[in-house]
Amino acid sequence: MAVPKVNICSFNCNGLGDRRKRNEIFTWLKDKSYHLFCLQETHSTVQQEEFWQSEWGGPILFNHGLSNSKGVLILFKKNISYTIHQTLSDNTGRWIIIDITIDSTRFCLANIYAPNTDDPDFFFNLEATIHSHITSDLYTIIVGDFNTVLNSEMDRAGHQASTSNYNPNSRSAINSLCANLDLIDIFRHNFPRATRYTWRRRRQASRIDYFLISFSLISLVEKVVIEDSLRSDHSLIGLTVTTSILPRGRGFWRLNQDLFS
């Protein structure tokens, strides 16, 4: 089915190893109107792939961590038409990058689960990987759990908010990634004064889950939202992009697997 809009969501699910929880979350996601579902902290293993795909009822791209930590995956609604040209993932279960065409529009989509420590090298390596394989006119979306806020004053609440220097090196690396790849935090762009959070625990809250998108996509964004949650301390976030009026890019990216062997 051709889609004039692309609906993408992201959700740190805090582990899907428990079958009952996994089925609840899969059912909850199926009821939503998204086409692609980027999940983090999945706790998947190679042995579970076939079983999980059967439960979901559609394609899944996995990058495994351990059975009790890390792991990212991308779920696809089975009734949409798309072409995946290349897939790349790291060897620690922290990111998947796909080169995908939906409705004749080609995107680079990266689903990430960043370390919860001040680790700028994670973002430097991500930037280097993307920069090496993307032409300047390819639409780029990086989404997931960044484990770092971009604005300590607006994106944190509770007693942790007083620690304004939270993961400063990671934040600097994200800002550098945005500058070098021409990306923007679309939620903050659309809601410059909003104080909304995607992670809550006890009396602490922060907006550490977000979409970084190409500047050239801003005018095509129909909505960006922070939604509800299910059995996680993170909220689901969503993005809708109109594709029916997007011009096709002049160039495409190609993954050189030899660089990562």
Side-chain angles (χ1 to χ4, degrees), residues 42-56:
T42 55
H43 304 177
S44 64
T45 64
V46 174
Q47 295 76 15
Q48 297 167 321
E49 284 190 11
E50 185 175 349
F51 189 50
W52 286 25
Q53 293 198 80
S54 175
E55 291 178 324
W56 171 248

Side-chain angles (χ1 to χ4, degrees), residues 38-132:
C38 298
L39 305 188
Q40 304 89 40
E41 208 172 345
T42 55
H43 304 177
S44 64
T45 64
V46 174
Q47 295 76 15
Q48 297 167 321
E49 284 190 11
E50 185 175 349
F51 189 50
W52 286 25
Q53 293 198 80
S54 175
E55 291 178 324
W56 171 248
I60 304 177
L61 288 179
F62 293 90
N63 184 14
H64 305 293
L66 302 174
S67 62
N68 62 352
S69 68
K70 296 181 287 190
V72 292
L73 60 79
I74 302 176
L75 306 166
F76 297 82
K77 278 282 181 71
K78 62 182 180 181
N79 63 339
I80 67 165
S81 298
Y82 61 89
T83 300
I84 296 176
H85 307 283
Q86 293 284 351
T87 303
L88 180 65
S89 57
D90 73 327
N91 59 5
T92 64
R94 290 213 175 264
W95 51 262
I96 299 176
I97 300 171
I98 61 174
D99 172 4
I100 185 170
T101 296
I102 302 176
D103 193 33
S104 300
T105 303
R106 201 157 177 172
F107 296 89
C108 168
L109 174 65
N111 173 23
I112 74 166
Y113 174 48
N116 61 3
T117 56
D118 196 12
D119 185 2
D121 286 342
F122 172 85
F123 298 102
F124 292 144
N125 293 334
L126 181 69
E127 178 187 335
T129 301
I130 295 174
H131 187 74
S132 297

